[in-house]
Amino acid sequence: MSLIPSQVRRIRFTDQVKLGQHGVSISLISVYQRRLAVGESVASPLGLHKVVAGILLVFALALAAGSAHAQGRDQKRDYQLLPSDLIRVQVFQEPDLDREVRVSQEGEIFLPLIGKIEVKGRTLRQVEELVRDLYDRDYLVNPQINIIVMQYQPRMVNVMGAVNAPGALEFPPEQSITVIDAISRAGGFNRLADRKRVRLTRTYAGGRVENFVINADELMSGASSEPWVVLKDDVIFVPERVL
C-alpha cells in the first residue's frame, strides 16, 4: 500500500521539526523534495523506509558531533589559569563591566567594582563562579558571567640529548602531553638513545627541583601505568647508551 502525497508531506514536516531541534540542517530533508520533483516514488513502503533510515543516520551523526563539541568545550572550561594568560570577562547585559585582563605574575586580575581576585590555579569554570558570586553579593542580581581565554601563556618543555631534533617545544595550553609525546615532537629517539633511563627535571614554585628517571620502553609497551604528563618548563634529557 502506498501513501498519498499529503501523507508524505506530513511525515516530512514532522521529521524536519524533530531534527531541527537537535541542530541538524533542515536542508538535509530536501531529499524528499528532490525525489518528488523527479517523480521518484517515496510513497512505497520500501522507498519510505530508505528515506527514514537515512534521516535517522543523519540524526545519530549530528548527536555524536554535538556530544564531541560539548566534550571539547568542557575540557576548555577545566583549563587552569596561569600568569600572563589574557582573558575576556563578559557580564551579560552589563557591557560597562566587560574587560580584557591579563593574569599578573602573582596570579591575580582586577575587575570593576569587585577589585582584585586571585585566579592562579583555578579553572575557568571556578573563576566564573567566583566572579558571579562577588558581583551577586553586592552589585548585581543573578549576574551571568562568561570568561574566555584570548591568549594563553606560552608553555615550553625542553627535550635534550639523544633525540633527532633536540630543543624547546611549545605545547597547547589546553591540552596535556606526556613525556613520550614530547620526545615524539622532538623527532623521536635516535639510534644511540638509552630509552630505559630518560631523565625528567622539574622545577616547582619556590625553586625546589626534583629529578625522575623514567623507563620509556615500559611506557611505550604499556607495562607502566604512570602517564608522566609534562608540566611547563620541564626538562627531558635522553642519555646515550654505553656501547
Side-chain angles (χ1 to χ4, degrees), residues 9 13 19 37 48 51 55 57 86 93 99 120 164 172 188 192 194 196 200 237:
R9 285 195 296 271
F13 176 77
L19 293 175
L48 183 59
V51 174
I55 291 175
L57 176 60
L86 178 66
Q93 292 186 340
R99 289 292 188 278
K120 182 180 179 181
N164 290 308
L192 299 176
D194 185 348
K196 299 182 185 298
L200 172 66
F237 179 77

Side-chain angles (χ1 to χ4, degrees), residues 172-183:
E174 71 278 14
Q175 296 179 4
S176 296
I177 67 170
T178 66
V179 166
I180 298 301
D181 292 332
I183 291 173

Side-chain angles (χ1 to χ4, degrees), residues 13-37:
F13 176 77
T14 302
D15 291 337
Q16 180 174 338
V17 172
K18 288 182 178 178
L19 293 175
Q21 290 174 346
H22 291 84
V24 181
S25 173
I26 292 177
S27 64
L28 292 173
I29 315 303
S30 64
V31 62
Y32 282 106
Q33 298 166 342
R34 288 197 300 271
R35 289 190 172 189
L36 289 173

Side-chain angles (χ1 to χ4, degrees), residues 35-66:
R35 289 190 172 189
L36 289 173
V38 299
E40 183 179 347
S41 173
V42 296
S44 68
L46 180 59
L48 183 59
H49 289 164
K50 288 182 178 179
V51 174
V52 172
I55 291 175
L56 292 176
L57 176 60
V58 171
F59 184 47
L61 292 174
L63 287 179

Side-chain angles (χ1 to χ4, degrees), residues 10-236:
R10 184 159 58 249
I11 293 172
R12 182 173 68 243
F13 176 77
T14 302
D15 291 337
Q16 180 174 338
V17 172
K18 288 182 178 178
L19 293 175
Q21 290 174 346
H22 291 84
V24 181
S25 173
I26 292 177
S27 64
L28 292 173
I29 315 303
S30 64
V31 62
Y32 282 106
Q33 298 166 342
R34 288 197 300 271
R35 289 190 172 189
L36 289 173
V38 299
E40 183 179 347
S41 173
V42 296
S44 68
L46 180 59
L48 183 59
H49 289 164
K50 288 182 178 179
V51 174
V52 172
I55 291 175
L56 292 176
L57 176 60
V58 171
F59 184 47
L61 292 174
L63 287 179
S67 176
H69 177 72
Q71 183 179 7
R73 185 174 61 247
D74 287 343
Q75 289 176 348
K76 290 185 178 181
R77 309 314 296 162
D78 291 333
Y79 169 73
Q80 291 186 339
L81 289 171
L82 296 171
S84 299
D85 283 343
L86 178 66
I87 63 175
R88 174 181 293 168
V89 182
Q90 297 173 308
V91 185
F92 182 63
Q93 292 186 340
E94 297 290 344
D96 291 342
L97 299 179
D98 292 351
R99 289 292 188 278
E100 282 194 10
V101 292
R102 192 174 295 277
V103 180
S104 70
Q105 292 304 307
E106 292 73 31
E108 300 170 334
I109 60 173
F110 190 90
L111 294 176
L113 301 180
I114 56 178
K116 187 185 299 182
I117 306 171
E118 184 175 348
V119 300
K120 182 180 179 181
R122 287 190 166 110
T123 66
L124 287 181
R125 196 190 312 272
Q126 291 171 332
V127 176
E128 283 181 343
E129 293 173 355
L130 176 60
V131 172
R132 182 184 302 113
D133 290 344
L134 292 173
Y135 275 125
D136 185 60
R137 183 179 302 170
D138 296 312
Y139 304 103
L140 302 174
V141 177
N142 192 27
Q144 303 300 309
I145 310 298
N146 183 52
I147 299 178
I148 57 176
V149 179
M150 305 300 296
Q151 182 181 30
Y152 292 97
Q153 178 206 56
R155 296 202 303 175
M156 308 296 293
V157 57
N158 291 283
V159 184
M160 313 299 293
V163 293
N164 290 308
L169 302 174
E170 184 173 352
F171 59 98
E174 71 278 14
Q175 296 179 4
S176 296
I177 67 170
T178 66
V179 166
I180 298 301
D181 292 332
I183 291 173
S184 296
R185 296 185 186 197
F189 297 105
N190 66 23
R191 62 184 183 85
L192 299 176
D194 185 348
R195 297 182 299 190
K196 299 182 185 298
R197 296 190 301 114
V198 175
R199 294 204 300 269
L200 172 66
T201 301
R202 178 166 293 166
T203 303
Y204 296 94
R208 182 171 67 89
V209 177
E210 193 167 1
N211 293 287
F212 307 90
V213 177
I214 302 168
N215 187 328
D217 278 342
E218 290 185 352
L219 292 179
M220 292 186 291
S221 67
S224 173
S225 59
E226 174 61 53
W228 287 107
V229 174
V230 299
L231 303 180
K232 176 179 176 292
D233 296 330
D234 277 354
V235 177
I236 299 169

